[in-house]
Amino acid sequence: MGEGSFPEHWVNLLLGCAHDPLRYTGLVFPWGDGVLRGVAGPRAWQREVMKTIGAHLSDPATRFTPCRIARASGHGIGKSALIAMLVKWGLDTGVDTRIVITANTESQLLTKTAPEIAKWHNLSLTRDWFRATATSLVSTEPGHDRGWRADLVTWSVANTEAFAGLHNQGKRIILVFDEASGIAAKVWEVALGALTDAETEIIFLAFGNPTHNTGPFRECFGRHRHLWNAGQIDSRRVEGVNSAYLDELVATYGEDSDIVRVRVRGQFPSASSMQFIESSLVEAARARPANALPDEPVIFGLDCARFGDDRSVLAIRRGRDARSRPWQSWHHLDSMTLAGDVALAAQKWRPDAIFVDAGNIGAGVVDRLRQLGVGNVHEVWFGSTGQDALWAGDVRVKTANKRSEMWTHLRGWLPGATIPDSDVLAADLTGVEYGYAADQVSILLEKKEHMKRRGLASPDWGDALALTFAEPVMPRVNGWPADWQPQPSVRKLTAREEWYETYKDLGVEM
């Protein structure tokens, strides 16, 4: 087993943990030292899952039936850490074990799940038994590299071969779905059909935030619950979590809001999905031909960068056309330079209104634009009181703040509209989640800071487009902005004519 300098009795000790993942973790990881200083072992909920697996494999009546475990939870409870520990246990204690791990998105898989697996692999005493790559752990035992391994696989509805081919007769198979709520039903269907080998240890783990109220992950807790060991975990009851962040979510959105239900309580949302803008709306707007009427106003929306990797973005919209006039973005630009560039854009496109995010450097940008003589500049405060906004068709809804109001107008505008064919913009528009304010009526968008906690970028492009809906803007007159109306040519009066205009009421004649 590539045991290297390990004494034979120690290797046999590990092999004796084939049906006891909890005991295994106590042997191979340096609890209390280094990055695990102050940590005595797995968290309580992690130990409970390990005991469930151990009990299933130890019982001759269940050992060769699929062990299906599903956990829906809030943020920060250590799902990826548990996955990593179980991957190591599965490989180290079962010769020629096959493991496949996937996630809701490639980004989640490669930036969250994969690094966690690599971290725990490097912490383990058995790290020399397997060779780590960016997407796999492969046995170093000669002749076993093809069949004794763990692979991180991105899924596609059109390409499910990696799951259909998951067979390992007479040995061990582990299938892991991370952030399982976002994995397509077709992938679940193919994976379940593949887990049919006889006399084989089969473990299927499905973990994640319960973001969708329908689909296979939801059914693990509903009509298929008799097949699964399913549980829902409130993050606030887990040791070692970021309590301040969880308390902030509750204070911001309310205990019964969908955001708190999903991100804190591990409960499925009351709505079918928390995604504010459907992907189909965005994709249709990317592909639709541009079309604008000549009397529709040109509107600038300027989202000003706050810090770090955020960008300042200028969106330009005319009616339902947000594509024909190219957008601009800047990185690490001071307010004076940013204002100068926007002033140049205003000279070119003659906007009827410029709406600027006034937070942070935005206030300075507004002041500088006005100093430069740029007209129609309006500051917008995202946290100010929201008004009723157009949701879809003729339906209007209440909104909790100005940002939620603007995004709701944006959502209602998208059908029939055109946007830039940009992956960045599409990700911004589809990444934002929503819930309801404490009144349970007003729409409340997820904060930028909370999106970043979920691993998403600040939606700077989406906010820039939303800013073009900050206030109603009057249509143009004969295709010209109100303050750029061409004036008729007027001949200057001569001195005698001016004298006559002054005194004509006295009856004088020229």
Side-chain angles (χ1 to χ4, degrees):
M1 282 190 59
E3 57 197 74
S5 60
F6 289 115
E8 183 177 352
H9 76 276
W10 196 86
V11 174
N12 290 333
L13 188 63
L14 284 187
L15 291 176
C17 296
H19 297 162
D20 194 346
L22 181 56
R23 184 183 178 208
Y24 163 88
T25 60
L27 294 173
V28 300
F29 298 115
W31 302 106
D33 293 329
V35 298
L36 297 179
R37 185 178 302 277
V39 182
R43 293 174 175 177
W45 83 271
Q46 295 169 337
R47 296 197 302 270
E48 180 266 331
V49 170
M50 292 178 185
K51 289 177 181 178
T52 299
I53 294 173
H56 182 94
L57 296 179
S58 298
D59 186 346
T62 59
R63 179 181 177 190
F64 296 130
T65 62
C67 176
R68 300 181 177 99
I69 299 177
R71 292 293 182 271
S73 71
H75 268 305
I77 69 167
K79 296 184 295 290
S80 296
L82 176 59
I83 289 170
M85 286 186 274
L86 290 176
V87 165
K88 282 295 296 176
W89 160 79
L91 291 174
D92 285 354
T93 64
V95 176
D96 289 337
T97 290
R98 286 288 314 281
I99 303 177
V100 171
I101 308 110
T102 194
N104 58 329
T105 64
E106 182 178 26
S107 175
Q108 170 71 27
L109 188 66
L110 299 183
T111 66
K112 297 290 193 300
T113 316
E116 195 71 11
I117 290 175
K119 166 190 167 182
W120 286 90
H121 170 67
N122 290 328
L123 285 173
S124 71
L125 296 176
T126 58
R127 55 187 170 273
D128 293 335
W129 291 8
F130 291 86
R131 183 179 72 257
T133 72
T135 58
S136 65
L137 291 177
V138 181
S139 174
T140 56
E141 189 76 9
H144 290 263
D145 57 309
R146 296 180 64 86
W148 195 353
R149 58 190 296 141
D151 292 288
L152 291 95
V153 178
T154 55
W155 59 267
S156 165
V157 172
N159 181 16
T160 57
E161 285 84 352
F163 304 95
L166 185 58
H167 295 285
N168 202 19
Q169 179 75 41
K171 297 174 183 175
R172 175 184 289 168
I173 296 171
I174 300 177
L175 177 61
V176 181
F177 280 7
D178 192 9
E179 294 302 340
S181 195
I183 296 176
K186 181 64 176 178
V187 178
W188 282 78
E189 177 185 336
V190 173
L192 286 168
L195 302 179
T196 56
D197 289 352
E199 301 296 311
T200 303
E201 295 179 357
I202 300 173
I203 300 169
F204 189 175
L205 306 173
F207 298 151
N209 301 129
T211 55
H212 296 276
N213 204 22
T214 59
F217 188 57
R218 179 68 179 89
E219 291 172 354
C220 297
F221 302 80
R223 65 179 182 139
H224 291 158
R225 60 184 178 273
H226 61 288
L227 298 174
W228 290 82
N229 179 294
Q232 293 169 271
I233 302 171
D234 189 319
S235 295
R236 293 170 295 184
R237 298 193 177 100
V238 176
E239 63 273 29
V241 299
N242 186 341
S243 298
Y245 169 57
L246 299 176
D247 291 343
E248 180 185 340
L249 289 177
V250 175
T252 301
Y253 303 106
E255 180 76 27
D256 294 324
S257 69
D258 276 345
I259 286 181
V260 171
R261 286 175 63 87
V262 172
R263 303 294 174 190
V264 179
R265 298 169 58 189
Q267 302 289 325
F268 288 90
S270 55
S272 61
S273 173
M274 296 172 61
Q275 184 176 343
F276 187 65
I277 297 177
E278 297 176 6
S279 300
S280 58
L281 284 177
V282 175
E283 292 307 310
R286 293 176 69 174
R288 189 176 291 122
N291 184 25
L293 300 175
D295 63 343
E296 290 178 315
V298 174
I299 305 172
F300 281 13
L302 180 63
D303 184 61
C304 300
R306 286 159 171 76
F307 46 75
D309 294 330
D310 295 357
R311 288 180 173 273
S312 295
V313 179
L314 173 65
I316 307 178
R317 178 177 67 86
R318 185 175 193 181
R320 291 199 175 274
D321 175 19
R323 181 191 304 149
S324 297
R325 293 160 181 79
W327 296 21
Q328 293 178 251
S329 68
W330 302 264
H331 194 208
H332 292 154
L333 202 64
D334 63 88
S335 60
M336 296 297 102
T337 308
L338 177 59
D341 286 354
V342 174
L344 291 175
Q347 287 183 350
K348 180 175 182 178
W349 300 114
R350 296 185 173 184
D352 298 80
I354 301 174
F355 295 112
V356 182
D357 168 18
N360 204 350
I361 71 166
V365 172
V366 169
D367 291 342
R368 182 56 178 164
L369 285 171
R370 289 170 177 166
Q371 287 177 353
L372 293 172
V374 179
N376 300 320
V377 179
H378 308 273
E379 58 190 62
V380 179
W381 297 94
F382 282 9
S384 60
T385 303
Q387 305 297 322
D388 289 0
L390 188 67
W391 177 258
D394 295 329
V395 177
R396 301 183 71 85
V397 297
K398 294 183 179 298
T399 61
N401 54 34
K402 190 66 178 179
R403 182 167 180 258
S404 301
E405 174 194 329
M406 295 186 299
W407 273 79
T408 302
H409 280 305
L410 164 58
R411 184 186 186 278
W413 165 86
L414 269 174
T418 62
I419 61 174
D421 186 15
S422 161
D423 290 339
V424 174
L425 176 59
D428 281 3
L429 295 178
T430 58
V432 177
E433 295 181 350
Y434 78 104
Y436 294 90
D439 62 6
Q440 293 300 304
V441 174
S442 303
I443 295 290
L444 181 61
L445 246 63
E446 181 183 21
K447 287 185 176 182
K448 291 185 178 187
E449 295 82 358
H450 298 165
M451 291 184 67
K452 288 185 175 182
R453 294 286 184 89
R454 292 198 288 122
L456 300 180
S458 174
D460 305 318
W461 291 65
D463 276 332
L465 180 57
L467 277 160
T468 67
F469 296 92
E471 300 292 344
V473 180
M474 293 295 293
R476 293 188 165 195
V477 179
N478 298 323
W480 288 87
D483 60 346
W484 268 308
Q485 292 297 311
Q487 300 298 319
S489 176
V490 179
R491 180 177 64 84
K492 185 177 181 180
L493 298 177
T494 65
R496 182 173 176 79
E497 288 170 334
E498 288 181 355
W499 180 86
Y500 172 74
E501 287 295 322
T502 301
Y503 296 103
K504 64 182 179 180
D505 291 340
L506 301 178
V508 299
E509 297 182 0
M510 290 189 64

